Amino acid sequence: MPAFDVQQFRQQFAFFQQQPDWVYLDNAATMHKPQAVIDAVTQFYQRHNSNVHRGAHQLSQQATMLFEQARTSVAAYVNAAHSDEIIFTSGATAALNQIAFGLMHTVLKPGDRILLTQLEHHANIVPWQLHCQRHGVIIDVVPLTPQHTVDLVAYQKLLALKPKVVSFSHISNVLGHIQPVAQMVAQAKAAGAITMIDGAQGAVYQQPDVQQLDCDFYVFSGHKLYGPTGIGVLYGKTQWLEQLTPVFAGGEMIDTVSFVNTTFNKLPFRLEAGTPNIAGAIGLSAAISWLQKYNTEQIQQHKSLLLKEFYSGLQAIKAIDILSMPVHNAGIVALNVAGEHPADVAELLNQQQVAVRSGQHCAMPLFSYLAQQGAVRCSFAAYNTLDDVNRCLLALEQAVEILTA
Ligand SMILES: Cc1ncc(COP(=O)(O)O)c(C=O)c1O
């Protein structure tokens, strides 16, 4: 197989032709979209626009076919046993809320425990917390090691408390650390827990194999996988999807309705009330087909090279504190300039057209734990180049000079 050609990959993003001066290192927030995705969405609206599952006409049947093909392509991407195990949502947040709300009372009862880790995104904390407060469910939190990875010894000890649900991220959105998810799922299952993986950052780094992982739920957002915003995926094993009470109710998710009683549709429709994001699902499917033309290992190697160069350049800049480890890192580096506010650093980078994010990255409990007010986050994608790395390093060097002058 020919080597990964970053220029060829990058050329497929109109954004970089329109905005050649920008260095975009905010990929953990959202990624740019290749032309294949933009075309798929545009073509849907230009040629097939119709509602799904309900029209008597051919256009609606075509739209339904495209939408259901998208479900099949997502199912294949994550290796689900059946496409009915794929629920389209508006994003990872919506999927996590559906799981947390949906398990309450059917599976989770007062006094039950849920196990999370210290580095979770708010989307994998707050939905659980709302229920815990209302329904008397208890949250336990796995602490981190001094290297800021999940403490697996503490994890095993907390599993002994017999949590009903264990929910953790595949990759930390702040630190970039890749969690040993297969091991964590296996340990959680041995302790009798239902397992939920937040793959918002993971699904793009590595094609998740949910059957091999044997997790009960896996969620992600389309926009962090080169797809459109407003579309996300809730994968669940049929047995556990059946246990979810729908968060949203209305059209499509019902079988029969009267003012006395409602009976529900079968999966996946029972958990997809209302008109879905049809174009979004089609766009996500286009993103997956497009991405699969490339070799994941080669992309990972390319990102590792970028990281290596970035870390070695950072060593040469004074006063930089790096919070992320270089090993088992998916391409996200959280850092600070000692004594400076991360927003000031990010603003100086912005002035040099280097796009990064600063703040607590929807992970306030992690920053309390790290005793940091926040961090600058540089997150790399496959379309980033060594030139991007060097421009970011230069911009950081200048920012440090200005701030410490
Ligand atoms: C690890 C993680 N989980 C959940 C989310 C929420 O994703 P979304 O805002 O697309 O719903 C994000 C977004 O940054 C994330 O990084």
Side-chain angles (χ1 to χ4, degrees), residues 100-101 104 108-116 124-140 165:
F101 279 63
M104 215 49 71
L108 287 163
K109 305 272 160 34
D112 282 344
R113 310 186 89 91
I114 295 172
L115 185 56
L116 308 175
N124 191 25
I125 300 173
V126 185
W128 300 111
Q129 203 170 49
L130 279 175
H131 292 296
C132 293
Q133 283 159 1
R134 282 182 205 148
H135 303 290
V137 175
I138 301 153
I139 291 181
D140 295 307
V165 178

XYZ file of all heavy atoms in Angstrom, residues 100-101 104 108-116 124-140 165:
244
model
N -28.517 7.487 30.057
C -28.633 7.759 31.499
C -30.101 7.866 31.922
O -30.517 7.245 32.909
C -27.874 9.032 31.855
N -30.909 8.618 31.167
C -32.332 8.749 31.500
C -33.023 7.396 31.311
O -33.871 7.002 32.083
C -33.021 9.750 30.558
C -32.835 11.189 30.921
C -31.580 11.762 30.916
C -33.934 11.984 31.238
C -31.403 13.102 31.233
C -33.766 13.327 31.549
C -32.497 13.895 31.547
N -32.751 4.575 33.964
C -33.282 4.865 35.294
C -34.627 4.172 35.447
O -35.465 4.252 34.545
C -33.418 6.377 35.438
C -33.141 6.913 36.798
S -31.625 6.377 37.610
C -30.340 7.191 36.711
N -31.632 0.877 36.685
C -31.049 1.524 37.876
C -32.126 1.818 38.921
O -33.161 2.418 38.611
C -30.355 2.816 37.449
C -29.040 2.607 36.704
C -28.626 3.867 35.967
C -27.947 2.172 37.674
N -31.858 1.416 40.130
C -32.803 1.606 41.239
C -32.088 2.391 42.356
O -30.853 2.391 42.398
C -33.253 0.244 41.785
C -33.845 -0.700 40.730
C -35.340 -0.476 40.570
C -35.950 -0.977 39.283
N -35.485 -2.145 38.644
N -32.862 3.038 43.252
C -32.212 3.774 44.352
C -31.196 2.901 45.084
O -31.459 1.720 45.322
C -33.391 4.149 45.272
C -34.587 4.148 44.375
C -34.331 3.134 43.305
N -30.044 3.501 45.367
C -28.987 2.767 46.085
C -27.981 2.125 45.126
O -26.900 1.718 45.553
N -28.330 2.041 43.833
C -27.369 1.477 42.871
C -26.194 2.424 42.674
O -26.317 3.629 42.898
C -28.051 1.247 41.504
C -28.909 -0.001 41.504
O -28.750 -0.828 42.418
O -29.750 -0.126 40.594
N -25.081 1.887 42.195
C -23.872 2.691 41.977
C -23.530 2.749 40.497
O -23.753 1.781 39.752
C -22.681 2.095 42.729
C -22.949 1.787 44.176
C -21.681 1.352 44.880
N -20.979 2.492 45.429
C -21.162 2.971 46.661
N -22.017 2.387 47.473
N -20.497 4.015 47.079
N -22.957 3.915 40.110
C -22.447 4.113 38.749
C -20.978 4.476 38.889
O -20.624 5.281 39.750
C -23.191 5.271 38.056
C -24.652 4.896 37.867
C -22.564 5.621 36.715
C -25.498 6.014 37.386
N -20.140 3.896 38.035
C -18.707 4.197 38.129
C -18.272 4.998 36.905
O -18.470 4.563 35.766
C -17.923 2.871 38.241
C -16.417 2.992 38.478
C -16.110 3.822 39.720
C -15.790 1.582 38.630
N -17.687 6.186 37.162
C -17.151 7.055 36.106
C -15.657 7.238 36.383
O -15.169 6.795 37.416
C -17.856 8.421 36.122
C -19.386 8.416 36.092
C -19.928 9.850 36.234
C -19.902 7.803 34.794
N -20.637 12.981 30.001
C -20.649 11.662 30.644
C -20.632 11.793 32.166
O -20.254 10.866 32.867
C -19.456 10.816 30.162
C -19.574 9.358 30.588
O -20.683 8.849 30.812
N -18.442 8.684 30.725
N -20.988 12.962 32.648
C -21.090 13.153 34.106
C -22.491 13.660 34.445
O -23.230 13.043 35.223
C -20.039 14.181 34.615
C -18.613 13.709 34.306
C -20.209 14.409 36.116
C -17.522 14.734 34.627
N -22.824 14.797 33.828
C -24.033 15.517 34.282
C -25.324 14.712 34.070
O -26.178 14.699 34.970
C -24.106 16.925 33.632
C -25.280 17.716 34.196
C -22.795 17.674 33.848
N -25.519 14.010 32.939
C -26.762 13.242 32.808
C -26.922 12.209 33.941
O -28.016 12.035 34.481
C -26.619 12.537 31.454
C -25.650 13.367 30.694
C -24.694 13.912 31.721
N -25.817 11.562 34.306
C -25.885 10.585 35.412
C -26.198 11.291 36.719
O -27.014 10.823 37.522
C -24.545 9.849 35.562
C -24.115 9.086 34.359
C -23.069 9.375 33.532
C -24.711 7.897 33.816
N -22.971 8.450 32.517
C -23.968 7.523 32.666
C -25.806 7.093 34.181
C -24.273 6.407 31.887
C -26.103 5.980 33.413
C -25.354 5.652 32.290
N -25.529 12.439 36.909
C -25.671 13.169 38.168
C -27.126 13.611 38.394
O -27.648 13.508 39.501
C -24.782 14.390 38.084
C -24.362 14.964 39.389
C -23.289 15.997 39.100
O -23.474 16.861 38.228
N -22.192 15.920 39.803
N -27.761 14.087 37.312
C -29.152 14.533 37.429
C -30.011 13.405 37.979
O -30.881 13.609 38.823
C -29.697 14.916 36.050
C -29.328 16.297 35.530
C -29.842 16.468 34.107
C -29.917 17.367 36.433
N -29.730 12.186 37.515
C -30.536 11.048 37.949
C -30.187 10.605 39.326
O -31.049 10.193 40.085
C -30.344 9.892 36.977
C -30.945 10.299 35.722
N -32.278 10.546 35.619
C -30.394 10.644 34.568
C -32.506 10.975 34.413
N -31.384 11.061 33.764
N -28.896 10.713 39.612
C -28.476 10.291 40.943
C -29.180 11.152 41.972
O -29.696 10.665 42.971
C -26.975 10.419 41.077
S -26.177 9.264 40.000
N -29.206 12.489 41.680
C -29.836 13.396 42.631
C -31.323 13.065 42.772
O -31.873 13.033 43.861
C -29.653 14.838 42.176
C -28.246 15.352 42.474
C -27.846 16.549 41.615
O -28.627 17.027 40.795
N -26.630 17.019 41.796
N -31.975 12.783 41.651
C -33.424 12.546 41.700
C -33.788 11.168 42.222
O -34.839 10.992 42.809
C -34.010 12.666 40.294
C -34.175 14.090 39.844
C -34.815 14.131 38.474
N -34.459 15.347 37.795
C -34.313 15.458 36.474
N -34.507 14.419 35.705
N -34.001 16.591 35.937
N -32.943 10.193 41.955
C -33.377 8.818 42.197
C -32.492 8.073 43.189
O -32.605 6.851 43.299
C -33.417 8.038 40.874
C -34.307 8.675 39.871
N -35.674 8.698 39.998
C -34.041 9.343 38.727
C -36.211 9.344 38.960
N -35.232 9.747 38.188
N -31.610 8.775 43.853
C -30.831 8.122 44.903
C -29.816 7.115 44.391
O -29.537 6.108 45.044
N -29.271 7.366 43.202
C -28.207 6.500 42.688
C -26.866 7.168 43.032
O -26.771 8.396 43.055
C -28.369 6.296 41.160
C -27.217 5.497 40.584
C -29.692 5.586 40.868
N -25.863 6.357 43.292
C -24.588 6.900 43.808
C -23.510 6.835 42.718
O -23.370 5.811 42.052
C -24.122 6.051 45.020
C -25.208 6.080 46.110
C -22.781 6.529 45.574
C -25.203 4.860 46.999
N -22.739 7.938 42.578
C -21.632 7.946 41.605
C -20.305 7.725 42.336
O -20.022 8.400 43.328
C -21.561 9.291 40.853
C -22.764 9.440 39.922
C -20.263 9.402 40.041
C -22.764 10.730 39.115
N -19.503 6.801 41.837
C -18.116 6.669 42.296
C -17.206 7.094 41.153
O -17.579 6.975 39.981
C -17.809 5.214 42.674
C -18.631 4.759 43.867
O -18.604 5.447 44.904
O -19.320 3.726 43.751
N -23.598 0.277 36.434
C -23.134 0.807 35.148
C -21.717 1.345 35.327
O -21.428 2.008 36.330
C -24.035 1.965 34.653
C -23.514 2.542 33.342
C -25.469 1.501 34.484
